Amino acid sequence: MYRHILLFTLLITFFNSSILAEDQPRAYQSGEHLKYVIHYGLIRGGRASLSVKTEKLKDQEVFHMVLTGRTVGLPNAIYRVKDTYESYVDPETSLPIKAIRNIREGRYRKYNELEFDHQNNTVKSKLSGVHEVPDNIQDILSAFYFARQNLFTPSLKKGDIVVVQTYFADELFPLRIRFMGYETIRSRMGKIKCFKFVPVVITGRAFKNEDDMTIWISADQNKLPIRVKFNLFIGSVKCDLVDYSGLANPLGSILKEAKE
């Protein structure tokens, strides 16, 4: 029942767009590292991290993004999860070149690699072969960084809905997310002004309603995911940013007078 919870807790802004933000400061850089704690109700049940570093892939300099998530404590004893998602992205275009998905959840195992050919609009899956895809397709991890750089802007108006297209689990994976305005939330770093988003999720397996997930993104130049909260059939889950390093910009949305 926990399958994909860690992924959807963090990869919550998976956008693809042909319109890029002009003259935006770099929202992330090589060396950025974000750490999260996940609570299932009152139980501390998981840890996750997001990191970016510069590497070489077939003699090309790329950003290597890595998401790791795992259960801890009681949830780990009941249903052990250790998931890793990786994306290799062209720094110039913000488009993915390669993606890796390595899932270990209970007795379930799944490993796959994707290779992206943006010139021919295809994705080659290690498990299922070659598939045609739309222009500027993102994998599910690279899309998060693309969104931070290009789509979280003050030009968003309350009620705006962004339609997203990514390639995930060997199929096109459309997402919709609704901007709900701004909200200030308490975090370990203090009170932080955030963009508030409600993705329209798939109901049935884990979610009761389409609006059962809420996401808060720092309203500064970094556009960091500060908190994710959602309601599942199994109960409430909350993921909070607890530590960070290597940011491209100061975390400027903290309200200093209210800092704890």
Side-chain angles (χ1 to χ4, degrees):
M1 74 178 68
Y2 292 103
R3 185 165 299 167
H4 306 320
I5 287 178
L6 291 175
L7 169 67
F8 287 107
T9 300
L10 288 173
L11 300 183
I12 32 92
T13 49
F14 316 136
F15 297 167
N16 189 17
S17 173
S18 59
I19 302 175
L20 304 184
E22 297 292 339
D23 301 323
Q24 290 292 320
R26 172 57 68 180
Y28 63 89
Q29 64 181 0
S30 179
E32 181 186 85
H33 193 193
L34 310 177
K35 295 181 180 180
Y36 294 84
V37 169
I38 300 170
H39 286 87
Y40 300 93
L42 299 176
I43 300 172
R44 180 173 176 172
R47 297 174 183 166
S49 68
L50 283 162
S51 63
V52 185
K53 58 183 177 181
T54 302
E55 291 185 2
K56 289 279 189 179
L57 181 66
K58 296 180 180 179
D59 296 324
Q60 179 180 353
E61 187 173 278
V62 298
F63 281 139
H64 182 196
M65 289 95 166
V66 180
L67 163 68
T68 60
R70 62 176 299 171
T71 48
V72 298
L74 180 60
N76 191 57
I78 298 173
Y79 190 88
R80 182 171 297 179
V81 173
K82 186 177 182 182
D83 294 348
T84 302
Y85 290 79
E86 300 179 63
S87 182
Y88 297 83
V89 172
D90 185 332
E92 297 298 323
T93 65
S94 296
L95 295 175
I97 301 169
K98 180 179 179 179
I100 297 173
R101 181 182 177 213
N102 188 6
I103 305 300
R104 300 171 64 88
E105 300 175 354
R107 295 183 179 181
Y108 178 80
R109 301 287 186 273
K110 187 154 191 176
Y111 180 89
N112 197 16
E113 295 184 7
L114 302 175
E115 295 183 1
F116 292 82
D117 182 344
H118 295 284
Q119 183 174 355
N120 296 304
N121 285 346
T122 61
V123 173
K124 182 180 179 180
S125 166
K126 187 174 183 178
L127 294 180
S128 62
V130 178
H131 304 267
E132 294 184 357
V133 293
D135 289 340
N136 301 322
I137 192 75
Q138 297 278 344
D139 71 73
I140 204 145
L141 180 54
S142 68
F144 160 66
Y145 289 94
F146 181 89
R148 285 176 62 190
Q149 183 61 42
N150 297 292
L151 300 178
F152 297 148
T153 70
S155 63
L156 286 172
K157 297 179 181 178
K158 186 176 180 178
D160 282 353
I161 297 177
V162 179
V163 179
V164 188
Q165 191 67 272
T166 68
Y167 192 82
F168 174 63
D170 269 341
E171 61 182 7
L172 294 176
F173 191 72
L175 295 170
R176 293 184 298 148
I177 186 166
R178 181 181 293 109
F179 178 54
M180 304 300 292
Y182 296 91
E183 187 172 315
T184 299
I185 64 171
R186 288 183 177 272
S187 75
R188 181 172 293 191
M189 287 74 65
K191 286 188 176 180
I192 300 180
K193 181 181 179 182
C194 296
F195 297 97
K196 182 179 180 181
F197 295 99
V198 174
V200 179
V201 298
I202 298 174
T203 60
R205 181 176 178 84
F207 297 97
K208 295 180 182 179
N209 303 304
E210 288 188 343
D211 58 354
D212 274 349
M213 182 186 295
T214 306
I215 304 149
W216 290 267
I217 304 292
S218 65
D220 62 358
Q221 294 178 344
N222 297 293
K223 316 296 171 45
L224 298 179
I226 302 297
R227 174 174 296 164
V228 185
K229 185 178 181 180
F230 51 95
N231 299 314
L232 305 172
F233 286 110
I234 62 172
S236 177
V237 177
K238 185 173 71 170
C239 176
D240 278 319
L241 179 68
V242 295
D243 197 13
Y244 59 87
S245 60
L247 300 186
N249 310 283
L251 188 56
S253 60
I254 293 180
L255 304 181
K256 295 181 179 178
E257 67 275 10
K259 188 173 181 180
E260 296 176 345

